[in-house]
Amino acid sequence: MTTDLYFSMNPDTSTTIDAFLENKEEICDGVFEQFEETLGRIPFILPILRERPDAFAFNGLGDLYTFNPESMGRMTAELIAVAAAAATGADGCLKVHIGAALKEGATREQVRDAIAIAATIGKTGILGGAYRVMRDAIPDEE
């Protein structure tokens, strides 16, 4: 199998990628198993993403490594995911990551506070941008 990319790639790199992708189905299965173990379920987007196993093998592994950083524990990572999901309005992700945070030992209060922090940062983002426009449109009264 040859990696048929629309751009030119170093032949050694292409060979390495091809060798990796020979095991893409097993890699995808492993990613699914790990997500189910970590999150307690398979998020609905994963089966759709897996329809492209070549891309999912890379992206799924990248996501797993991102969600399991060496620099912090699983509970902290899940609380960050809760805050990010809340801030972006990703309600499905929020539900999944609240469950995962609780599974990792987070309390109701910690989940609540992660959401409150996300909301506060979101609010300041709105206020900062809007007040800059207001300041430029309406000069200060002196």
Side-chain angles (χ1 to χ4, degrees), residues 10-139:
N10 172 306
D12 291 336
T13 302
S14 184
T15 299
T16 301
I17 291 170
D18 289 342
F20 174 82
L21 289 175
E22 285 178 15
N23 300 302
K24 65 187 171 193
E25 292 301 328
E26 293 84 7
I27 293 166
C28 291
D29 290 343
V31 167
F32 263 62
E33 289 171 16
Q34 188 60 47
F35 265 109
E36 187 163 30
E37 181 181 321
T38 300
L39 300 175
R41 63 196 287 184
I42 300 291
F44 89 96
I45 64 172
L46 293 187
I48 297 168
L49 292 171
R50 189 173 183 203
E51 292 175 8
R52 287 272 324 272
D54 51 344
F56 184 72
F58 291 105
N59 292 324
L61 282 174
D63 291 350
L64 281 176
Y65 277 90
T66 300
F67 277 117
N68 293 281
E70 294 178 2
S71 64
M72 67 184 72
R74 289 278 320 124
M75 185 179 77
T76 301
E78 286 302 335
L79 288 170
I80 291 170
V82 165
T88 59
D91 291 347
C93 293
L94 181 58
K95 184 176 180 179
V96 167
H97 289 288
I98 287 172
L102 295 173
K103 179 180 169 213
E104 294 298 329
T107 65
R108 180 182 195 283
E109 292 77 15
Q110 289 171 316
V111 171
R112 179 201 62 218
D113 289 346
I115 293 169
I117 290 167
T120 299
I121 297 299
K123 175 179 74 173
T124 59
I126 292 168
L127 292 174
Y131 285 159
R132 281 185 191 90
V133 171
M134 184 185 110
R135 178 191 63 207
D136 294 344
I138 307 169

